[in-house]
Amino acid sequence: MKKAEIILHPVRMRVIQSLVRGERMTAQQLQERLVDVPQATLYRHLKKLVESGVLMVAEEIPNRGTLEKVYTLPEKGAEISVEELEQASPDDHMTFFMNYLASLIGEYGRYIHQDHIDLVKDGVSYRQFSAYLTEEENLKMLYDIRDIVLKAMKNEPNEHRRKRLLSIIDFPEI
């Protein structure tokens, strides 16, 4: 299975997002965060993520006669190589994109089906923009956005901060 296929599965993307800030979590802690994912399903996905090198077991803690694994995301563990992207067929890319969208739809569905939501107060936004850019201008814009997002990702959680998902899709219009 290609690394992109492994990463872009909706459940596995949620596991990766849970560990993206350098967190170390046990399967039980991940289960508490991903309450809608059956335990057996979570374990199956954790195994696949570890086998593929996307996640690693940081330590094993003895717990009632068994070893409880603590998972972490190694540096560049969730990155897809340029080579893999170049070798993927158009159908592969469509599958990758559809998996990405399925994950996004699932996250939005979990948000929208809460008992009480306020889209304006919560700052919910989805928009599509068009801009005329050279290749260099487009890369600079993406690097600038990346720098802003990386800075925000360094924020520590507290009672005033709410975890937010930001998804960016950029491609030339035909």
Side-chain angles (χ1 to χ4, degrees):
M1 185 177 268
K2 296 174 183 169
K3 191 172 185 183
E5 290 176 282
I6 291 167
I7 292 170
L8 293 174
H9 183 281
V11 172
R12 292 189 289 262
M13 281 183 68
R14 291 175 62 201
V15 170
I16 292 166
Q17 288 170 348
S18 296
L19 299 169
V20 79
R21 291 177 35 87
E23 285 90 345
R24 296 162 46 113
M25 301 177 95
T26 64
Q28 178 62 38
Q29 291 168 320
L30 286 164
Q31 183 71 59
E32 290 168 6
R33 190 170 283 186
L34 308 174
V35 294
D36 59 319
V37 178
Q39 185 178 32
T41 301
L42 178 62
Y43 278 100
R44 190 171 57 252
H45 288 296
L46 285 170
K47 182 178 186 220
K48 192 167 285 202
L49 286 164
V50 170
E51 287 173 348
S52 67
V54 174
L55 293 186
M56 63 182 262
V57 176
E59 65 180 302
E60 293 182 330
I61 303 168
N63 185 7
R64 298 182 187 163
T66 64
L67 290 175
E68 187 172 30
K69 295 177 181 174
V70 179
Y71 299 93
T72 189
L73 181 67
E75 187 176 337
K76 299 188 180 187
E79 288 185 17
I80 300 166
S81 72
V82 173
E83 293 80 21
E84 183 175 355
L85 289 174
E86 289 174 343
Q87 291 172 3
S89 71
D91 286 342
D92 289 337
H93 286 289
M94 184 55 79
T95 299
F96 301 160
F97 190 69
M98 288 172 49
N99 287 343
Y100 171 77
L101 290 178
S103 176
L104 188 60
I105 290 166
E107 292 291 346
Y108 189 72
R110 279 182 285 285
Y111 165 77
I112 204 78
H113 287 103
Q114 297 177 95
D115 290 337
H116 303 287
I117 61 168
D118 183 336
L119 279 77
V120 174
K121 180 180 168 221
D122 290 345
V124 174
S125 171
Y126 43 93
R127 292 182 173 83
Q128 184 173 21
F129 303 96
S130 293
Y132 292 94
L133 303 167
T134 65
E135 294 302 316
E136 293 79 22
E137 290 168 331
N138 188 56
L139 280 175
K140 182 181 180 334
M141 178 187 68
L142 291 174
Y143 286 134
D144 290 347
I145 292 169
R146 182 200 63 193
D147 291 344
I148 291 167
V149 171
L150 287 173
K151 181 181 174 190
M153 286 174 62
K154 292 179 182 175
N155 290 344
E156 293 295 326
N158 66 36
E159 68 275 2
H160 303 291
R161 289 190 173 129
R162 195 168 172 191
K163 187 175 182 181
R164 298 188 172 270
L165 296 177
L166 174 67
S167 300
I168 299 169
I169 301 169
D170 173 40
F171 60 93
E173 188 174 23
I174 303 298

PDB file of all heavy atoms in Angstrom, residues 30 49 92:
ATOM      1  N   LEU A  30      -6.087   7.680  22.580  1.00  0.00           N
ATOM      2  CA  LEU A  30      -6.611   7.956  21.243  1.00  0.00           C
ATOM      3  C   LEU A  30      -8.080   7.567  21.157  1.00  0.00           C
ATOM      4  O   LEU A  30      -8.883   8.273  20.547  1.00  0.00           O
ATOM      5  CB  LEU A  30      -5.785   7.213  20.191  1.00  0.00           C
ATOM      6  CG  LEU A  30      -4.402   7.801  19.920  1.00  0.00           C
ATOM      7  CD1 LEU A  30      -3.523   6.795  19.191  1.00  0.00           C
ATOM      8  CD2 LEU A  30      -4.512   9.100  19.131  1.00  0.00           C
ATOM      9  N   LEU A  49      -0.416   1.995  10.575  1.00  0.00           N
ATOM     10  CA  LEU A  49       0.391   3.225  10.631  1.00  0.00           C
ATOM     11  C   LEU A  49       1.808   2.939  11.133  1.00  0.00           C
ATOM     12  O   LEU A  49       2.770   3.514  10.634  1.00  0.00           O
ATOM     13  CB  LEU A  49      -0.304   4.265  11.512  1.00  0.00           C
ATOM     14  CG  LEU A  49      -1.531   4.936  10.891  1.00  0.00           C
ATOM     15  CD1 LEU A  49      -2.360   5.646  11.958  1.00  0.00           C
ATOM     16  CD2 LEU A  49      -1.125   5.896   9.787  1.00  0.00           C
ATOM     17  N   ASP A  92      -4.839   7.245  -9.074  1.00  0.00           N
ATOM     18  CA  ASP A  92      -4.309   7.287  -7.703  1.00  0.00           C
ATOM     19  C   ASP A  92      -4.560   8.660  -7.085  1.00  0.00           C
ATOM     20  O   ASP A  92      -5.012   8.760  -5.941  1.00  0.00           O
ATOM     21  CB  ASP A  92      -2.799   7.001  -7.683  1.00  0.00           C
ATOM     22  CG  ASP A  92      -2.434   5.567  -7.999  1.00  0.00           C
ATOM     23  OD1 ASP A  92      -3.285   4.673  -7.824  1.00  0.00           O
ATOM     24  OD2 ASP A  92      -1.280   5.352  -8.431  1.00  0.00           O
TER      25      ASP A  92
END
